[in-house]
Amino acid sequence: MYQCSEARMADKIQTFSAFGDAGHGGITRYSLSPEALMARKEFQRRMEAIGAVIEVDDVGDMYATLPGSDPEAKRIVMASHVDSVKNGGNYDGILGVMSAMEVLESVHEQNIPHKHPLTAIIWTNEEGSLYPPAMMCSGIVCYDYLPEDIRCKFRYEDMMASQSILNPGQTFGQALAASGYQGDRACRLSPEKYLYMFETHIEQGPILEDAGNDIGVVDCVLGMFNYRLKFYGQTVHAGTFPMPKRRDAFLAAAEALCYLHREIDALNIPELVYTTGEVVCHPCVHTCVPDFFDFSFDARHEDPAQLNRVLEVVKSCGEKTWGNGCTCTVEKAWNRDTVYWDKKLVGYVKQAAEELGVSHQYIHSGAGHDAQFCSYVIPTTMIFVQSKDGLSHCEPEFSSVKHCTEGASVMLNAVLKADED
């Protein structure tokens, strides 16, 4: 069994955390921002130093490849992203890139024989924090292989026209053209050139830490749906209109939210998670009773039958009146089926963890990742690294150098098992 270098991993964590340092222990590194371009240049510098060949596709995804002993063999790829959410942490996404780099560096340093070319990828704009949607460029690259209800949201022309949330009028296509990282479509990941894909990521939750395990052998990405619940009332003056006569859309939404929690919790579905994360209020003026309130509802579970039970409760909100006569409409935003990772690759990850003596367990991913789209193109799997206190997408996000290196070592050995195919 082969081990990756803790010292080299620590150096990469320290180096990349400077690109977009927000001054509070974390980073803001939007895709194609000056900070993200610095991270790309560092990736290229380190990969070229070990003899990897750099390629860039037409949406800015970067590929660093070490040749294998068989020039006809397909590539085995390890991939993630370097962009972050606003005031995010130093591990989400970038750990997968650093782990892929560490695998290539270990193969080079230890002169590890391998038949297949080994490739590290930076996916462009996974977070979608500046240019929505999330997982944009893996969606574009995998477009032809995605289910129709997902594919329709990733048309190339629409993605190029995505506008910056900070500078309306500036598009993703413009930023890509100005970045210097708009390459050749022929360089895209494809089943003709690539055999398998691995992605290492922080867990982003507390399950591994609570169980006392270092590594998660990920078996699937949970199925999920997202709906909008919209409530309609009447705007009146806050100081002059009697309480009994008001149709307050905010109050209606509050009543419905309490109803959703009460009824869904009564279903007693183990491992279900659901969230109300985004709201819109109109007219959003302190002297006005709201005439409109809209909130998102996100639910995630492995079993589609259980998600359907939850959805029945959500849809029932549209059949009731709320807040002294307000109406409600329930509108689907999107849904995604559970994506199961390739069983053979999952087995390689588990075998690698066992042989390295690293504590581990099977685990689901509740979050979406670029690997989710890639799994429609080539066999794919993921590896999770323990997250301190389960925190992610925030500045306190932390995974120890030891855990990060263990994740890379597990991926290295799993990739070498896959290389024998």
Side-chain angles (χ1 to χ4, degrees):
M1 302 301 290
Y2 295 95
Q3 297 280 354
C4 291
S5 166
E6 280 196 26
R8 203 161 46 221
M9 179 63 78
D11 177 66
K12 284 194 281 288
I13 293 170
Q14 181 178 22
T15 299
F16 281 91
S17 65
F19 305 140
D21 182 359
H24 318 98
I27 57 166
T28 298
R29 191 164 58 222
Y30 294 130
S31 188
L32 301 180
S33 66
E35 296 80 13
L37 299 186
M38 293 169 66
R40 286 169 172 261
K41 290 175 182 176
E42 180 68 10
F43 170 83
Q44 181 169 350
R45 183 187 72 80
R46 290 181 182 240
M47 293 294 90
E48 287 182 337
I50 61 170
V53 176
I54 304 296
E55 299 169 299
V56 183
D57 69 21
D58 59 321
V59 290
D61 303 315
M62 294 184 70
Y63 305 73
T65 303
L66 279 181
S69 60
D70 181 355
E72 303 300 320
K74 293 183 179 182
R75 301 177 182 184
I76 297 174
V77 60
M78 297 149 283
S80 196
H81 60 97
V82 301
D83 58 310
S84 80
V85 297
K86 182 179 180 180
N87 293 332
N90 295 317
Y91 302 86
D92 177 19
I94 188 64
L95 176 61
V97 174
M98 294 188 296
S99 297
M101 294 168 65
E102 181 58 35
V103 168
L104 266 59
E105 289 165 336
S106 297
V107 167
H108 171 76
E109 179 191 55
Q110 300 176 49
N111 196 27
I112 301 173
H114 58 102
K115 175 176 66 175
H116 294 268
L118 305 179
T119 301
I121 293 181
I122 292 176
W123 290 112
T124 306
N125 199 27
E126 193 271 354
E127 295 291 359
S129 300
L130 187 59
Y131 301 100
M135 306 190 307
M136 177 192 283
C137 292
S138 59
I140 295 172
V141 169
C142 302
Y143 181 88
D144 290 340
Y145 304 89
L146 298 176
E148 175 57 33
D149 59 341
I150 299 177
R151 180 168 65 238
C152 65
K153 301 181 185 299
F154 291 93
R155 291 179 62 249
Y156 178 86
E157 296 80 5
D158 295 340
M159 299 301 94
M160 293 302 108
S162 175
Q163 294 197 21
S164 166
I165 62 171
L166 297 180
N167 298 297
Q170 180 180 340
T171 67
F172 176 80
Q174 292 169 339
L176 179 62
S179 70
Y181 286 94
Q182 188 168 24
D184 190 340
R185 182 187 176 103
C187 295
R188 288 184 179 185
L189 178 141
S190 70
E192 291 75 30
K193 293 195 305 184
Y194 288 85
L195 182 65
Y196 298 136
M197 176 173 157
F198 294 79
E199 180 173 354
T200 297
H201 205 280
I202 59 170
E203 180 197 346
Q204 301 180 277
I207 294 172
L208 291 175
E209 185 178 52
D210 288 351
N213 290 319
D214 296 344
I215 295 297
V217 181
V218 191
D219 55 7
C220 70
V221 175
L222 297 180
M224 55 191 80
F225 68 71
N226 190 288
Y227 275 69
R228 307 293 306 202
L229 284 79
K230 299 182 179 182
F231 299 84
Y232 300 88
Q234 175 66 56
T235 294
V236 292
H237 195 286
T240 61
F241 208 80
M243 296 296 290
K245 295 176 70 66
R246 296 185 180 195
R247 290 190 294 125
D248 184 337
F250 198 156
L251 173 62
E255 290 178 353
L257 183 59
C258 291
Y259 164 80
L260 287 169
H261 275 259
R262 183 173 64 251
E263 296 299 315
I264 293 172
D265 289 351
L267 296 175
N268 194 28
I269 301 174
E271 299 185 341
L272 171 74
V273 292
Y274 61 93
T275 305
T276 301
E278 183 180 22
V279 302
V280 177
C281 182
H282 180 272
C284 206
V285 175
H286 82 277
T287 57
C288 293
V289 173
D291 65 351
F292 176 76
F293 199 95
D294 168 14
F295 66 76
S296 64
F297 186 89
D298 176 303
R300 308 188 183 206
H301 197 272
E302 180 183 2
D303 186 349
Q306 300 292 4
L307 283 178
N308 283 335
R309 294 176 67 198
V310 177
L311 185 55
E312 288 179 5
V313 176
V314 174
K315 288 183 174 179
S316 72
C317 290
E319 302 166 359
K320 304 175 183 294
T321 57
W322 307 91
N324 197 29
C326 294
T327 59
C328 171
T329 63
V330 180
E331 300 177 7
K332 176 182 173 180
W334 51 263
N335 74 287
R336 294 174 185 161
D337 294 334
T338 296
V339 172
Y340 290 95
W341 299 134
D342 183 83
K343 290 183 178 179
K344 179 168 64 174
L345 299 187
V346 172
Y348 289 159
V349 171
K350 189 172 192 306
Q351 291 170 30
E354 289 172 348
E355 292 170 6
L356 285 166
V358 177
S359 60
H360 61 280
Q361 67 182 78
Y362 287 115
I363 193 170
H364 306 324
S365 174
H369 302 278
D370 290 313
Q372 182 176 341
F373 287 167
C374 294
S375 69
Y376 290 99
V377 183
I378 58 175
T380 300
T381 196
M382 292 188 72
I383 299 161
F384 276 175
V385 169
Q386 186 188 118
S387 296
K388 176 64 177 171
D389 298 326
L391 299 177
S392 180
H393 278 201
C394 59
E395 293 185 327
E397 172 185 282
F398 178 77
S399 292
S400 70
V401 172
K402 173 181 177 291
H403 288 147
C404 292
T405 308
E406 285 177 340
S409 295
V410 168
M411 185 162 68
L412 167 61
N413 289 278
V415 164
L416 293 175
K417 292 178 184 297
D419 182 64
E420 298 176 1
D421 291 349

